[in-house]
Amino acid sequence: MSNIDLTPLYRTVVGFDRLASMIDQASRLDGSQGYPPYNIERVDDNAFAIEIAVAGFTEDDLEIETKEGLLTVAGKRGESEDGEGRNYLHRGIAQRSFIRRYQLADHVIVTGANLQHGVLRIDLIRELPEEKKPRKIEIGAPAKSEPKLIGKKASSNAA
């Protein structure tokens, strides 16, 4: 795999150093690793799910952690006691330890995880703070009035 040098980008672009860092970080994350296989699903406009095939792992073998926008899923598998006495002709089910990392976008949080039938499903949701949501500004409105949120109906104060 070829390395990409982003140094010229840092020198010519002002204020986008965080974006360049994310591109650099993404190019180093799990570039050639194919184990375990996974799916990323868009469930809704603001909901996502990551499904990871973890056959042979139990909930005690798996660890999920988020830190500074990085989701890390680790599977720690010790040598099985019954594996020593077995004589495999073909061993195609990989049960080795792994670490998978996913860079999460801003305001994306993990809401839950579930292990069922050898598939680990991690549910994610994007929660934008109120100040980041789009607002509709009425023309000619007084300067001190609150802008109305798009999609929300104005509350009536008639009593």
Side-chain angles (χ1 to χ4, degrees):
M1 183 176 173
S2 63
N3 291 334
I4 300 171
D5 183 21
L6 297 175
T7 308
L9 185 61
Y10 287 116
R11 289 189 304 231
T12 59
V13 180
V14 177
F16 289 94
D17 52 337
R18 183 168 176 261
L19 177 64
S21 295
M22 286 175 53
I23 292 170
D24 186 36
Q25 203 174 37
S27 68
R28 286 187 264 136
L29 289 177
D30 298 327
S32 62
Q33 185 183 15
Y35 176 77
Y38 66 94
N39 295 329
I40 299 177
E41 175 187 5
R42 176 180 288 245
V43 178
D44 196 349
D45 285 341
N46 291 315
F48 307 92
I50 299 173
E51 296 176 325
I52 307 171
V54 292
F57 287 86
T58 65
E59 290 179 11
D60 295 333
D61 297 332
L62 298 169
E63 184 177 307
I64 304 169
E65 178 182 279
T66 59
K67 183 179 179 184
E68 297 176 5
L70 187 67
L71 170 65
T72 304
V73 181
K76 295 183 175 74
R77 188 81 174 152
E79 290 296 319
S80 66
E81 298 167 5
D82 61 343
E84 291 180 18
R86 299 172 89 174
N87 185 14
Y88 291 101
L89 296 177
H90 172 74
R91 190 165 186 177
I93 301 173
Q95 292 184 347
R96 61 185 185 266
S97 298
F98 68 90
I99 295 179
R100 273 260 183 222
R101 293 181 178 93
Y102 303 91
Q103 184 71 43
L104 300 178
D106 291 340
H107 312 295
V108 172
I109 59 170
V110 176
T111 59
N114 186 22
L115 179 63
Q116 190 174 21
H117 303 296
V119 176
L120 175 66
R121 180 182 173 95
I122 302 170
D123 295 312
L124 306 140
I125 193 163
R126 179 179 23 219
E127 289 186 347
L128 287 175
E130 280 297 316
E131 63 270 4
K132 299 267 183 183
K133 290 182 180 177
R135 299 179 186 277
K136 184 170 186 165
I137 310 298
E138 293 183 25
I139 299 174
K144 292 185 180 182
S145 70
E146 290 289 321
K148 294 180 184 175
L149 289 175
I150 295 175
K152 291 202 175 188
K153 294 182 180 180
S155 60
S156 62
N157 292 335

